[in-house]
Amino acid sequence: RVSAVTDGKYYRATDNEKLKTIYGEIDQLEKSKVNVQEHHKKTDEYLWFAIAAVLLLLSEIVLRYTVLRNLP
């Protein structure tokens, strides 16, 4: 039903000879060249967040032992 609705063809191979015939028919169909160019420039976006996290952690450690220390 799908092939009838989409104006396609339905192939069913029940033995090797039918399969060869089907492949031959498919090979006769129109072939078109497709030029595919894909370029993906990937950059890591987490670096600035990691630097900020390390700086905040270091400043917390420094402040804990200097300005914000608890006196006994």
Side-chain angles (χ1 to χ4, degrees):
R1 282 189 271 174
V2 173
S3 62
V5 170
T6 60
D7 294 329
K9 267 196 148 176
Y10 172 74
Y11 296 101
R12 182 170 180 185
T14 55
D15 59 9
N16 286 340
E17 286 303 316
K18 281 191 178 182
L19 184 62
K20 287 179 186 179
T21 306
I22 290 170
Y23 277 135
E25 190 174 329
I26 291 173
D27 284 339
Q28 298 300 318
L29 296 174
E30 178 181 342
K31 296 178 184 178
S32 59
K33 287 188 177 183
V34 177
N35 294 327
V36 177
Q37 293 181 359
E38 292 185 28
H39 299 285
H40 296 284
K41 184 177 181 182
K42 296 182 181 180
T43 57
D44 294 329
E45 300 292 334
Y46 69 91
L47 181 62
W48 294 110
F49 294 109
I51 291 172
V54 169
L55 289 176
L56 287 172
L57 183 63
L58 290 175
S59 65
E60 188 269 333
I61 292 171
V62 168
L63 288 174
R64 183 189 318 157
Y65 291 110
T66 58
V67 177
L68 299 176
R69 68 181 174 176
N70 290 332
L71 296 176

